Amino acid sequence: MTQKNLFAVTLIAADRPGIVAAVSKIFYENSFNIEDSSSTLLQGFFSAIFIVSKEGVTADDVKKIFSGLEKTMNIDFNVQAMSEAGVKPIGEHFIISVYGSDKPGIVNRVAEYLANREINIVDLQTKVAGSEKSPIYLMVLEVIIDPKMMGTGWEDDLKKISREMGTDVNIRQIETYEF
């Protein structure tokens, strides 16, 4: 039996209608299964990552499949073979919102603190809003807290860091559902 191979296919292109349709058509016509995906618009650029599977192909095979689309639609693709499916983190899910005057270091301070506490960031989104004279920085993270970290004061520590940076922080636990 041929082994099922997993690939991470990432792409970025100037945003326009039809990118997802073109990419998913190639997956469909070449019998790939889309196992997981995420996409977003960043400063007018569409970016996406697809975790796909197919038996009996290599990363080079996948790259060749997308070479035509790369040229016709001016989409930058990267393909990486995945040795195995990743391990899903276990724990309680929280949403952390940080907002305040735009300044360097906000993402780094929060991310370093979370890393030092072994808190896993599973989603991160940032935006600069407001006027040029008074830009507001918005950051929203979804994190997973290992059950042994619950009740250790990590929330209070993060609020202290936020105050030191002159930002506001909101932390709330969320329920998640596996599909």
Side-chain angles (χ1 to χ4, degrees), residues 48-149:
I49 183 167
F50 295 87
I51 304 298
V52 298
S53 64
K54 184 176 179 177
E55 294 180 357
V57 295
T58 67
D60 286 337
D61 297 331
V62 180
K63 288 175 188 175
K64 287 177 190 169
I65 290 169
F66 281 100
S67 64
L69 193 60
E70 194 167 27
K71 292 174 186 163
T72 61
M73 290 190 71
N74 197 26
I75 300 173
D76 291 327
F77 286 94
N78 186 34
V79 178
Q80 181 175 344
M82 309 303 287
S83 59
E84 60 187 54
V87 177
K88 291 183 180 179
I90 298 171
E92 301 297 322
H93 290 246
F94 286 79
I95 296 291
I96 300 171
S97 304
V98 179
Y99 46 96
S101 296
D102 185 26
K103 61 180 123 314
I106 295 172
V107 174
N108 180 253
R109 286 279 312 269
V110 172
E112 277 189 346
Y113 170 75
L114 296 173
N116 289 335
R117 293 296 296 256
E118 296 185 15
I119 296 173
N120 193 9
I121 298 172
V122 296
D123 191 34
L124 167 69
Q125 297 194 22
T126 63
K127 296 279 183 212
V128 176
S131 68
E132 278 189 43
K133 288 183 179 182
S134 184
I136 303 295
Y137 195 78
L138 309 165
M139 177 171 65
V140 179
L141 306 98
E142 180 181 349
V143 300
I144 297 180
I145 308 292
D146 187 294
K148 69 181 179 220
M149 290 295 301

